[in-house]
Amino acid sequence: MTAYCIGIDTGGTYTDAVLMNSVSRQVIAWRKERTTPHDLSIGVGRALAGLLQHSVTPAEVTKLSVSTTLATNAVVEGRGARVGLFVLGYVRHFKLPVIVNIFLKGGHTITGEEEEPLDIEGLIDTLPGLTAEVDSYAVCGAMSIKNPTHELVAQEAIRLIDPKPVFCSHLVSSHPGMLERSATACLHAKLMPLMTDFLASIQRSMLATGLTCPVNIICGNGRGEALDRIIDKAAITMASGPAATARFGAASGLASALVVDVGGTTTDVCLIKDCQPLINREGCVIGEWRTHVEAVDMYTSGAGGDSHVACHRDGRIALKNSRVQPLAMTPDLPDPAEWLNIDADSILVLPVPGLDQDLVQDDPLLRFLAQHGPTPPSTLAVQTGVGGIILEKRLERLMYLQQVVLVGFTPTDALHALGLLQIGNGTASRSGASVLASQIGLSADDLCRRVLAETEAAIETIVLTYLSRSVWQDGQSTPFLNRRDNDLFAVHFTLKLPIIGIGAAARCFLPGVAQRLGTTVSFPDDCEVGNAIGAALIGLDD
């Protein structure tokens, strides 16, 4: 009986799957399905079912290897669980992108002796005000890697008052740096609910398709981990997608190259040297998070085919870090001329079908959407009395909970409007382009070309930011790169490395990026599903 391996990569926009011969490592078939955020098992299930149509029985599949960019996307977009962080015995305050960061007395010395008693009363007094504001907790004590007593006591005290997940830093990092160890614990707390849902969706999809093979989840360091061991270590999947990207790039035959994965939500960059991905043993950095998570040396930033395009009245066009659903990919979309503008209504809010009715009735926004369908924010504000920053934050929360979908104009729409892409509804994209262009004094084609140029420039900056980290200290190059083209001078860079392109949008944007950087770009066979191939290869290597 022939043995097969399936590789899956679930991103914010697409879920890719490949069927690979386990011996020859030849790709037999691949599928690309839209990711279904409200129920990930739908997109994963469609991809698996499509592969099993190729005269392959579930019994012949001996391994399922899964990578995902959901964690990196959540970090870049500022989504995930709301985390409350308690820092014990550290006097120099630092900030992390969490709901609240509370410093209490406690901690231990470098020899493991108690520095001062834990302020348990302060902890208990603080908790009642947090229970409605956070989804999980992280605890980081000074030198808890030598003596975790205070972290464990704090963990039990929190659990007695609020039965939400609590993550102790000594369990997720053995390094002394407080900021990085706190960030690592916070990331576990932030990503755990997301990964729990994702792993459950994999299990449901396997059950629906009759697959019973072992499952490997790709970790950021390029190794696989059994599915049942991942839940309590969610942050090690943070660079899962980039690890699969790097493995696919390493199989390209180029000894040294820059691998660039242009997805719908983010662009991921990593380096291949001597046919191997570089590994950052000290810990990877994603966005504002400097961690102790061992991972491929990579950089991720929010620029992709589904980035939200922001148009300003002075003619400026910019890409936001946030992902929205493109007009072209939204079925039954109301005519953008009826709702789209460059001010408050640059997005349309869609209800998610199948929500629990009690949940819908208890929320004024969900209730209005259920009754009236897709609605722009200005109408929601007037009709529900929820407006301003409160509405913005509430929509962010509902989107995180997968209870609404936000639709807006994207680079994917610019490609459709120019006739360069035909996978969705080009009419909706052209209508949206015309509406926005008329408000900033451009033609629709000019607006779309500027959106594509802005996207290429954003990807170019991501590439240069990643490479500059090996030349300058962290952050030193950022002001320079952001101002390399100004009123007084312009600086142009030439890469000494070729680019390997991966992802659904790579062929659309990377030729222009390569031209900007004076280098070449190649697209290996099946690069559209390169991460899924990389996941399968890692699964076969383990």
Side-chain angles (χ1 to χ4, degrees):
M1 182 177 70
T2 304
Y4 297 94
C5 173
I6 289 178
I8 292 179
D9 179 70
T10 295
T13 305
Y14 286 104
T15 292
D16 301 337
V18 299
L19 180 68
M20 182 178 289
N21 185 298
S22 297
V23 177
S24 68
R25 302 198 172 193
Q26 176 186 2
V27 174
I28 307 302
W30 60 266
R31 301 280 295 190
K32 182 178 285 288
E33 299 285 347
R34 293 288 296 189
T35 296
T36 48
H38 63 286
D39 186 349
L40 293 168
S41 66
I42 296 174
V44 173
R46 289 171 180 165
L48 288 176
L51 292 182
L52 293 176
Q53 293 175 359
H54 293 267
S55 302
V56 174
T57 65
E60 293 176 295
V61 179
T62 58
K63 180 168 284 188
L64 180 65
S65 192
V66 182
S67 70
T68 179
T69 56
L70 293 176
T72 49
N73 293 349
V75 172
V76 169
E77 294 183 84
R79 297 185 293 106
R82 301 171 299 176
V83 179
L85 169 64
F86 286 96
V87 180
L88 314 177
Y90 190 75
V91 295
R92 288 185 296 166
H93 286 218
F94 53 74
K95 297 182 71 174
L96 286 170
V98 295
I99 291 294
V100 63
N101 190 350
I102 298 168
F103 291 76
L104 298 172
K105 293 180 180 179
H108 293 80
T109 67
I110 196 170
T111 59
E113 298 173 349
E114 186 177 71
E115 182 80 41
E116 58 182 333
L118 173 63
D119 183 9
I120 192 69
E121 290 186 3
L123 177 70
I124 293 173
D125 288 344
T126 303
L127 278 170
L130 297 181
T131 55
E133 304 298 326
V134 305
D135 303 309
S136 55
Y137 298 90
V139 181
C140 186
M143 296 310 298
S144 62
I145 55 175
K146 295 293 184 180
N147 187 338
T149 301
H150 284 180
E151 284 192 358
L152 294 172
V153 171
Q155 180 184 45
E156 288 306 312
I158 293 170
R159 285 176 172 171
L160 287 172
I161 296 173
D162 190 357
K164 296 190 180 86
V166 185
F167 290 82
C168 293
S169 74
H170 74 277
L171 296 175
V172 296
S173 171
S174 59
H175 299 288
M178 283 289 286
L179 173 58
E180 293 85 352
R181 191 150 43 88
S182 294
T184 305
C186 286
L187 274 176
H188 281 278
K190 191 175 190 68
L191 298 176
M192 188 273 290
L194 180 72
M195 291 309 300
T196 299
D197 289 344
F198 174 61
L199 299 178
S201 76
I202 296 294
Q203 293 175 313
R204 292 197 303 273
S205 301
M206 291 181 67
L207 184 63
T209 52
L211 289 170
T212 58
C213 59
V215 181
N216 257 12
I217 306 299
I218 306 304
C219 300
N221 60 9
R223 295 193 291 268
E225 188 79 66
L227 183 146
D228 58 358
R229 299 180 60 188
I230 287 292
I231 301 259
D232 292 332
K233 300 185 293 182
I236 66 174
T237 68
M238 188 172 56
S240 171
T245 297
R247 181 63 182 87
F248 177 78
S252 68
L254 294 175
S256 297
L258 193 70
V259 187
V260 182
D261 175 17
V262 184
T265 307
T266 61
T267 291
D268 303 329
V269 186
C270 56
L271 195 61
I272 301 298
K273 276 193 175 182
D274 300 324
C275 301
Q276 295 293 327
L278 290 184
I279 300 293
N280 189 332
R281 306 292 179 187
E282 298 301 316
C284 63
V285 179
I286 297 184
E288 301 176 75
W289 302 82
R290 175 172 296 280
T291 75
H292 284 156
V293 178
E294 181 185 78
V296 294
D297 190 62
M298 47 75 70
Y299 180 67
T300 294
S301 189
D306 293 355
S307 295
H308 188 196
V309 173
C311 297
H312 302 274
R313 294 202 176 275
D314 60 4
R316 288 181 299 115
I317 295 172
L319 299 184
K320 294 184 176 182
N321 282 340
S322 55
R323 174 193 173 272
V324 293
Q325 186 166 287
L327 308 180
M329 309 308 293
T330 304
D332 304 318
L333 179 75
D335 186 348
E338 299 175 357
W339 58 270
L340 182 63
N341 60 62
I342 65 174
D343 298 316
D345 293 336
S346 64
I347 59 171
L348 186 69
V349 186
L350 273 60
V352 170
L355 294 179
D356 180 85
Q357 286 305 302
D358 290 338
L359 176 70
V360 171
Q361 293 305 314
D362 287 343
D363 188 294
L365 298 180
L366 295 179
R367 188 166 63 248
F368 185 87
L369 290 169
Q371 294 170 352
H372 300 278
T375 306
S378 63
T379 303
L380 272 178
V382 171
Q383 296 297 325
T384 65
V386 181
I389 191 67
I390 297 176
L391 176 62
E392 181 180 331
K393 294 299 182 183
R394 184 62 187 145
L395 289 177
E396 286 181 7
R397 180 65 178 164
L398 292 175
M399 189 178 179
Y400 161 66
L401 295 171
Q402 310 298 346
Q403 293 170 2
V404 300
V405 173
L406 304 184
V407 176
F409 194 81
T410 67
T412 295
D413 290 305
L415 291 169
H416 277 84
L418 292 171
L420 301 176
L421 197 61
Q422 292 90 28
I423 60 175
N425 181 0
T427 300
S429 295
R430 286 188 291 273
S431 175
S434 297
V435 170
L436 295 176
S438 67
Q439 296 180 34
I440 59 174
L442 295 174
S443 71
D445 283 0
D446 284 343
L447 177 135
C448 291
R449 281 191 286 267
R450 286 181 59 177
V451 168
L452 299 189
E454 192 68 31
T455 307
E456 290 177 0
I459 296 171
E460 178 191 14
T461 299
I462 291 169
V463 168
L464 292 175
T465 300
Y466 170 68
L467 293 176
S468 68
R469 294 191 314 181
S470 63
V471 179
W472 292 293
Q473 294 295 318
D474 290 342
Q476 288 185 350
S477 65
T478 301
F480 176 68
L481 292 176
N482 288 343
R483 295 287 294 163
R484 64 186 183 273
D485 187 4
N486 55 65
D487 293 339
L488 300 179
F489 62 86
V491 179
H492 302 280
F493 293 86
T494 300
L495 292 195
K496 296 181 179 180
L497 293 168
I499 294 174
I500 298 172
I502 298 180
R507 295 184 192 273
C508 298
F509 297 115
L510 289 185
V513 173
Q515 185 176 14
R516 286 169 173 265
L517 294 172
T519 187
T520 60
V521 60
S522 60
F523 301 98
D525 291 343
D526 304 321
C527 70
E528 293 84 357
V529 290
N531 282 359
I533 294 174
L537 292 173
I538 292 173
L540 292 174
D541 291 341
D542 283 349

